[in-house]
Amino acid sequence: MQVASRYKLGPIFTPPVVSKADGPLATLARGPTNGGSNWPGGAFDPATHTFYVASSNAAAVVLGLVQPSKDRSDMDWVAGSAAPAGRGGGLGGGGLAVQGLSIFKPPYGTITAINLDKGEIAWQVPHGETPDAVRNNEALKGLNIPRTGQAGFTVGTLVTKTLVIAGDPQVTTLTTRPRGAMLRAYDKKSGAEVGSVLLPAPISASPMTYSVGGKQYIIVAVSGGPYSGEFVALRLPSGGPQ
Amino acid sequence: MTRRIRVAILTSFGAVAFFAGRTGSLNARESVFAKTVWDSVYSVAQAARGETAYAKGCARCHGAALTGGDQSPPLAGSAFLGNWNGQSLVDLQQRIKTTMPSDSIGIYDAKFVTDVVAFMLKANGFPAGDAELSNDDATLKDIAIRASRPAPPN
């Protein structure tokens, strides 16, 4: 609340405001360009008329206007802040986080199955391992935090006869496995997770599948943090899941 | 950007130990770091310089509040900390120096970048100290980024 109070809040299409150090710093927008459902899109299943789509709930963008110095721009106003969030008064307010925790309520990211015949949500599950900064957070010590999902706009879905497949948009480090991001498979009827494979970096686009020489492959693009872009192709065993 | 293609064989969709040999474990590598970002590795004055540098060189894409936007990832909060958890500050410094700003790569010198790193540490809630963060690679290599405060030694 303390962080959000420094920003202008309002309904959809609230315009940017002139940034003032004593507030408002900017208009706080929840995911206009890096949240919600983004360019990877979703996957439509023609058999069941269901659309499977990932969305990010915890993405924030601040829209403030400042007058630039003449050596920077000849525009009257440019995007900026009169007091960047680093001056968070010890809150670590960068990225609109408090003690490393988003100011938004989890789930931070979900996959939703929408029945297009009825226009109803068939199921919705948090997508993505609980981030390290949340799972190991001092402020949450002793609490049992259910999977929060992850914020990220790079999650696309792949639908097969039985599964919905999508990758985590963030790297996590668990004691039970090496550092990495998971590629997950959900039962497309229920949303229950039925399997996962470790990838070396976050997924950076939609998975796709193809077949060569009678073998089926799933290929994903990964990158993020210090990890350069890479394609990873997984070959399914003969007679594996469809 | 390098692009490599790897083909792997899946024995089942639950094979989580798949890349175990390649990625290594955080705990095994952690022991090679002399410090973490919780050890007050930058100064307040340096972070203030970095804040000015960030506003000049980085904020137009990564946002005034380090939230990211469009194709630019956030530089604070759990997404940033997750992707960099267990990496060293020299990794972060090199990533910025060799890929940023993406429309004019390499225009900022090591001091500028290190000041920005100091500001990012501050914005992520890591404590400041008396000494400035050095832009020396060997020093930065010894400092681990840790999303949460390590337990005190027994």
Side-chain angles (χ1 to χ4, degrees), chain A residues 184-198:
Chain A
R184 298 176 192 278
Y186 300 91
D187 180 334
K188 77 175 183 182
K189 286 183 183 163
S190 66
E193 185 175 318
V194 293
S196 58
V197 179
L198 184 68

Side-chain angles (χ1 to χ4, degrees), chain A residues 71-89:
Chain A
D71 61 339
R72 186 178 165 210
S73 172
D74 59 6
M75 305 284 282
D76 290 337
W77 299 94
V78 298
S81 174
R87 293 176 189 154

Side-chain angles (χ1 to χ4, degrees), chain B residues 51-62:
Chain B
E51 186 171 333
T52 304
Y54 178 88
K56 179 184 170 193
C58 320
R60 65 197 161 97
C61 294
H62 290 281

Side-chain angles (χ1 to χ4, degrees), chain A residues 47-129:
Chain A
T48 59
H49 295 193
T50 301
F51 185 63
Y52 302 92
V53 63
S55 56
S56 177
N57 302 330
V61 165
V62 298
L63 305 167
L65 298 174
V66 293
Q67 289 179 300
S69 60
K70 291 300 165 202
D71 61 339
R72 186 178 165 210
S73 172
D74 59 6
M75 305 284 282
D76 290 337
W77 299 94
V78 298
S81 174
R87 293 176 189 154
L91 290 171
L96 299 176
V98 177
Q99 295 178 311
L101 298 172
S102 170
I103 62 171
F104 299 121
K105 185 180 173 184
Y108 302 135
T110 56
I111 289 179
T112 306
I114 304 169
N115 181 316
L116 296 189
D117 291 337
K118 297 178 183 171
E120 292 173 358
I121 291 175
W123 51 258
Q124 184 175 62
V125 294
H127 175 67
E129 195 66 63

